[in-house]
Amino acid sequence: MGCGAPYTQQQSATYDIQLEYSIDYGQSWDLVQQECVPSSSDCSHTLVSSQYSSFLFTNWRRLTVQLSSPAISNNTEIRWRQPASAMGIEWALDDLYLGVQCPGFCHGHGKCTKANGHYQGLVCGGNSDGQPCAKSFLYNKQTYHGCTRDGREATDNRLWCATTANYNTGRKWGYCICGVCQCDPGYSGKSCETVTRALPHYLNESFENDLSSSKWGWVAGGSVDVTCGTVASGSSIVFNLGRSRLLETVDLDLTRSSTLQFTIQVGSSRSGCPRPTDSTENIYLQYSTNGGVTWKTMKTFQYNSGTRPSQQNIVLLNATKTQSTRIRWYQPKASGSNTDVWALDDVYINSVFTALPVGDDFDPIRNLLWKFYTGSKVEPFCSSSANVLHFSYSYTATTRFASTVSLRLTPSTYIQFDIVVDCGQTLPSSTAYVTLQFSTDSGNSWKTLDNGCSPLSSNCGTYRRPSVYRSGLFSKWRRVTISLNDTQLVSSPLTSVQLRWLGYSSSTAYDWAIDNVYIGEGCPGLCSGHGRCAVNGTCVCDQGYSGSQCSFYATSRPTQIKERFDQTVSPSVSVTGGRLGTDCGVLSASTAMTFNLAGERELMTIDMNASAVHFIEFSYNTGSSSSSTICTAMRSNNQVPVNEYSLDGGVSWTILKDLRYYYTYRSPTVINIPVPQAARTESTRFRMWQFGFFTSGTAAWALDDMVIGGFVTANDSYLSETFEPLQESNWLFFPGGQVTTGNCNATTPALYFDGSGEGQQHATTKIFSVELQPLVLVNATLDASLPTG
């Protein structure tokens, strides 16, 4: 009707097509089928009135209408009528069949054609539609071996049979002569009951974009917008048009499904979203297992059920779990457009709880893992070499998140993923972050997976960051590996858990993305922190690493790391939240690495060969001697930096030393931390970091002249230095010194300290072995007025 033209307010009931019958040679006409919904009468299933709205039927639809007894006569006429006042509205009919019923109404997936006068193996009508005749059956006191007219001579005199062995007790029967089904593509069988094509076995829809025909077979009276506010997240589908409204899924294979979830809102306090006013405007959740021929109601949403969003978790009835089932939300009557409004959001039909392990590298996306991924696109992002799940601020969704289906977890489960937040940002915002959450109640409530831990404020034993991933530290791709046993989730029921990555909703414009998600038992050695877990339980190693645990590295690792923080920082360390400068004063000489920027703060080394490393040494202070606000001192031990080491590429960390008693470091202090034997491996990384997120200039600290080393080789039993030129390998640090000729009357190059500037001035040698009765010869002068010697 209307040939696909959109609905307009003028398309009132006068445009409807009425399917009518007459049994008095056209003198009077009645509708073939009267409406029947649960609120109006005791209906075994919903019946739609045979008055068809131009709003509902703008595209071709097959209708199957069963004639009721008043319309059955020897002189019945059928007509389709549109009132004369509806001139100009086009409509058409096709594939008309009027005759005896086909078995099972062809399950809604075929056309009924003329009966051939023979029993085809299935009955129709009666109370056993679509079932075969019993091979023999007892009726009254006689046994029959086929179809009979006995007992129906006074009514329709049609052939019938029982579908059980004893009609007298079971009273199950149907007609033997039926129409013949001509099945649609993808269906076969005498009643088109067999599905021969793959149907989707789950559905997820967040209504952030236009509706997809791969999910929805019929929508009327609804559109995606925010008229009723936020129902679950972002936009929703709002039903506010026309006199009948519905949303119907395509046929789904629900044989492995258990739950239907969605959020519904009936009306709203917002302007333009008035709720229904009486029970004739209720909304019905229904299902059909015969292609929409008949519908049964699962739940009714009353017109006065409240205007707040309500999340529904419907356990699917066994009757819905067929190879071809449709679900619909149906409002048979509404007063008109912009009245009796309701909205849906976040519709999800699941399959059974997904068994571990599961994973997704988004090439392409594994839809079976995800319930929703609102506000995202699968595409490359932030220099990724392949597709990732990218959540862009420029997309229409107001809330951006990815939530998994329900999973069966165990305490030994690991969660691993790559994440980037606010790509390339070096000055992070406090409102640019992503939180990893969990739910054990089908998404009704969510909690942060890990709130983090600081032993100085609790009894958790180890330092651990919360599962909140902020710009700055995560503004480059970074892998996260979480042991479920270390989180608060381990104390919750683990049989049905959903995980969610949620972007913070704010005015801050930032993008974020995740990739290489893995949930399952840990891979061998957790891939040594240099690879990701694949769903088959093996490691996919990072570039440069190999082996079953990614423990073999192609090139040698440094055996010592030394940083002066003068002009640049070597590739051996990475810094977040810090910068070179003198904001916290001069510690040794020239600039230091000052950690006073907003956000998280961390200095981390690459993996090094620490087999012979004995100590970590550095100059350190907190706060500034001046009253400057760019380097204010710490106020409690909860703010102090922590020194740690990792043997598995940063997956897990062990404390070396936390710099508590912060007030003792208000002036530059040299700190030496012994490295225990357990940390001396061929692949150890070290870090110094501060627990928490800080505003600019607060709880600031600075490092200078850092060395990780202390090993002695056979060549380190002596030291000889003439400064012609200076041998860097002989010295750890010489702040304030420079090699010159002519100062202090020196006739050859010497290491000269002019006494200018702030901070310490010293020359510290490398570590070397001192034998008995050592001989130390130094040619030095402490003042230019003194003679050399």
Side-chain angles (χ1 to χ4, degrees):
M1 302 168 63
C3 295
Y7 174 80
T8 63
Q9 186 64 34
Q10 287 71 33
Q11 286 172 277
S12 63
T14 59
Y15 291 81
D16 292 351
I17 307 299
Q18 298 170 357
L19 175 60
E20 301 172 325
Y21 75 94
S22 174
I23 57 175
D24 57 6
Y25 302 102
Q27 295 184 54
S28 61
W29 295 87
D30 292 297
L31 289 176
V32 169
Q33 186 165 277
Q34 299 292 332
E35 182 179 71
C36 179
V37 293
S39 62
S40 59
S41 61
D42 184 17
C43 300
S44 60
H45 54 265
T46 298
L47 296 177
V48 178
S49 166
S50 61
Q51 179 169 323
Y52 305 117
S53 165
S54 57
F55 173 59
L56 288 177
F57 293 91
T58 55
N59 292 299
W60 283 106
R61 303 287 175 192
R62 177 187 292 144
L63 293 176
T64 302
V65 182
Q66 189 170 16
L67 295 180
S68 58
S69 56
I72 300 175
S73 74
N74 291 327
N75 52 325
T76 299
E77 294 178 80
I78 302 292
R79 76 175 181 183
W80 290 258
R81 184 178 74 94
Q82 185 179 39
S85 60
M87 297 299 292
I89 298 297
E90 298 175 322
W91 58 282
L93 297 176
D94 197 8
D95 289 337
L96 173 63
Y97 171 81
L98 179 61
V100 295
Q101 179 184 330
C102 281
F105 298 106
C106 301
H107 280 80
H109 297 296
K111 295 183 294 186
C112 207
T113 60
K114 184 179 179 180
N116 57 17
H118 303 286
Y119 172 61
Q120 300 295 311
L122 297 177
V123 301
C124 53
N127 57 17
S128 297
D129 184 34
Q131 301 297 313
C133 288
K135 292 182 178 180
S136 63
F137 60 92
L138 182 67
Y139 171 57
N140 289 335
K141 296 181 180 181
Q142 183 176 346
T143 298
Y144 294 82
H145 298 280
C147 298
T148 180
R149 286 187 172 87
D150 291 356
R152 303 201 65 82
E153 296 90 345
T155 55
D156 52 29
N157 200 34
R158 292 177 61 183
L159 288 169
W160 70 279
C161 69
T163 56
T164 60
N166 190 337
Y167 174 82
N168 300 323
T169 57
R171 307 193 75 80
K172 296 291 185 179
W173 70 280
Y175 293 111
C176 292
I177 306 302
C178 308
V180 178
C181 290
Q182 181 180 332
C183 299
D184 297 335
Y187 295 87
S188 65
K190 294 179 179 179
S191 65
C192 305
E193 75 282 4
T194 303
V195 182
T196 59
R197 64 187 179 96
L199 295 178
H201 53 271
Y202 71 95
L203 183 145
N204 57 351
E205 178 65 80
S206 58
F207 301 109
E208 298 300 332
N209 302 296
D210 293 336
L211 300 185
S212 169
S213 59
S214 65
K215 299 178 181 179
W216 305 105
W218 198 352
V219 58
S223 60
V224 174
D225 63 28
V226 292
T227 300
C228 293
T230 300
V231 177
S233 61
S235 56
S236 58
I237 184 166
V238 179
F239 293 89
N240 58 358
L241 299 173
R243 294 173 287 111
S244 294
R245 300 156 183 172
L246 65 84
L247 178 68
E248 182 180 311
T249 71
V250 297
D251 290 306
L252 302 168
D253 180 354
L254 300 186
T255 53
R256 294 181 292 168
S257 298
S258 60
T259 306
L260 165 63
Q261 299 175 352
F262 58 92
T263 302
I264 187 170
Q265 181 172 318
V266 181
S268 168
S269 59
R270 293 169 62 104
S271 175
C273 190
R275 74 179 185 183
T277 55
D278 62 64
S279 60
T280 63
E281 297 159 348
N282 289 342
I283 299 100
Y284 302 96
L285 173 64
Q286 302 178 319
Y287 73 94
S288 173
T289 58
N290 57 9
V293 175
T294 59
W295 293 89
K296 293 188 177 181
T297 298
M298 290 189 283
K299 187 166 183 175
T300 301
F301 298 95
Q302 300 290 339
Y303 71 98
N304 58 354
S305 58
T307 57
R308 289 183 173 273
S310 173
Q311 187 178 66
Q312 302 292 313
N313 295 283
I314 310 294
V315 177
L316 292 176
L317 303 172
N318 287 334
T320 67
K321 298 179 181 180
T322 76
Q323 290 183 313
S324 182
T325 303
R326 295 181 188 180
I327 304 290
R328 77 173 179 181
W329 293 259
Y330 179 47
Q331 187 181 32
K333 289 185 178 180
S335 301
S337 293
N338 300 316
T339 63
D340 313 319
V341 181
W342 51 287
L344 286 177
D345 203 1
D346 284 5
V347 177
Y348 173 69
I349 302 175
N350 76 329
S351 56
V352 296
F353 296 129
T354 303
L356 301 184
V358 292
D360 200 344
D361 61 4
F362 304 104
D363 265 334
I365 191 168
R366 272 64 166 174
N367 280 306
L368 282 177
L369 175 58
W370 302 104
K371 184 175 180 181
F372 299 110
Y373 36 94
T374 301
S376 69
K377 291 183 180 179
V378 176
E379 59 189 1
F381 174 67
C382 198
S383 302
S384 64
S385 59
N387 285 339
V388 301
L389 192 59
H390 173 211
F391 297 82
S392 174
Y393 186 80
S394 63
Y395 300 156
T396 56
T398 56
T399 302
R400 297 171 293 164
F401 66 91
S403 59
T404 70
V405 297
S406 295
L407 303 168
R408 295 184 186 275
L409 307 182
T410 68
S412 59
T413 297
Y414 281 85
I415 303 166
Q416 186 181 82
F417 55 94
D418 299 337
I419 186 169
V420 62
V421 181
D422 210 8
C423 179
Q425 181 59 256
T426 57
L427 297 176
S429 167
S430 61
T431 57
Y433 61 86
V434 176
T435 304
L436 178 57
Q437 303 174 316
F438 74 92
S439 174
T440 57
D441 57 7
S442 300
N444 284 309
S445 61
W446 295 89
K447 297 179 181 179
T448 302
L449 180 63
D450 190 352
N451 290 318
C453 172
S454 171
L456 294 175
S457 59
S458 63
N459 296 320
C460 55
T462 60
Y463 287 91
R464 196 172 62 249
R465 279 195 177 95
S467 56
V468 179
Y469 312 103
R470 300 180 180 272
S471 66
L473 189 63
F474 289 90
S475 289
K476 294 181 180 180
W477 282 104
R478 190 160 179 165
R479 182 177 295 128
V480 176
T481 303
I482 301 171
S483 170
L484 204 65
N485 205 36
D486 293 334
T487 69
Q488 61 175 332
L489 175 55
V490 75
S491 61
S492 303
L494 300 177
T495 55
S496 177
V497 179
Q498 292 175 236
L499 299 173
R500 178 171 76 170
W501 287 259
L502 175 66
Y504 179 70
S505 297
S506 71
S507 58
T508 303
Y510 71 99
D511 287 15
W512 57 281
I514 56 175
D515 194 14
N516 296 324
V517 176
Y518 171 85
I519 304 168
E521 300 293 315
C523 290
L526 295 177
C527 305
S528 303
H530 296 297
R532 61 180 177 87
C533 289
V535 175
N536 62 6
T538 63
C539 290
V540 179
C541 299
D542 297 335
Q543 186 175 3
Y545 293 85
S546 61
S548 61
Q549 300 184 21
C550 305
S551 55
F552 298 108
Y553 189 52
T555 60
S556 60
R557 296 185 172 98
T559 56
Q560 175 179 278
I561 293 178
K562 184 171 62 174
E563 289 291 340
R564 293 174 179 166
F565 302 117
D566 286 341
Q567 302 296 328
T568 60
V569 179
S570 77
S572 296
V573 298
S574 60
V575 174
T576 302
R579 61 184 175 188
L580 294 172
T582 57
D583 291 347
C584 292
V586 177
L587 276 67
S588 182
S590 186
T591 58
M593 180 55 69
T594 304
F595 291 88
N596 64 342
L597 301 180
E600 296 176 275
R601 299 165 181 170
E602 176 188 77
L603 181 145
M604 183 168 63
T605 72
I606 62 174
D607 289 325
M608 58 183 298
N609 183 351
S611 302
V613 169
H614 284 67
F615 64 83
I616 302 173
E617 186 174 287
F618 51 87
S619 294
Y620 168 79
N621 80 316
T622 174
S624 172
S625 57
S626 68
S627 58
S628 172
T629 58
I630 62 174
C631 185
T632 60
M634 299 168 193
R635 302 302 181 194
S636 73
N637 280 329
N638 291 330
Q639 298 177 326
V640 302
V642 184
N643 290 270
E644 297 177 316
Y645 70 90
S646 173
L647 307 180
D648 53 16
V651 174
S652 60
W653 295 87
T654 302
I655 298 175
L656 286 171
K657 182 180 180 67
D658 56 52
L659 299 179
R660 64 183 72 190
Y661 313 119
Y662 58 93
Y663 44 81
T664 63
Y665 302 113
R666 296 292 176 85
S667 60
T669 304
V670 176
I671 294 176
N672 186 286
I673 301 174
V675 173
Q677 188 64 46
R680 300 176 191 173
T681 75
E682 294 183 355
S683 182
T684 305
R685 70 173 60 176
F686 299 89
R687 74 174 179 182
M688 188 172 180
W689 68 289
Q690 202 170 8
F691 184 85
F693 185 91
F694 299 90
T695 57
S696 179
T698 61
W701 46 287
L703 291 179
D704 206 356
D705 286 359
M706 182 188 76
V707 62
I708 303 175
F711 55 91
V712 179
T713 68
N715 295 325
D716 293 326
S717 59
Y718 70 95
L719 185 149
S720 176
E721 180 66 79
T722 64
F723 304 106
E724 295 182 8
L726 180 143
Q727 303 297 313
E728 287 274 356
S729 60
N730 282 338
W731 305 93
L732 291 181
F733 303 105
F734 42 92
Q738 56 183 325
V739 176
T740 64
T741 301
N743 291 303
C744 297
N745 300 319
T747 58
T748 60
L751 187 59
Y752 173 62
F753 298 84
D754 64 6
S756 63
E758 301 179 57
Q760 306 174 28
Q761 295 191 347
H762 63 84
T764 303
T765 69
K766 67 178 182 180
I767 307 300
F768 61 96
S769 174
V770 179
E771 303 294 337
L772 293 176
Q773 297 180 352
L775 177 63
V776 181
L777 297 177
V778 180
N779 186 26
T781 180
L782 302 181
D783 194 299
S785 63
L786 298 177
T788 301

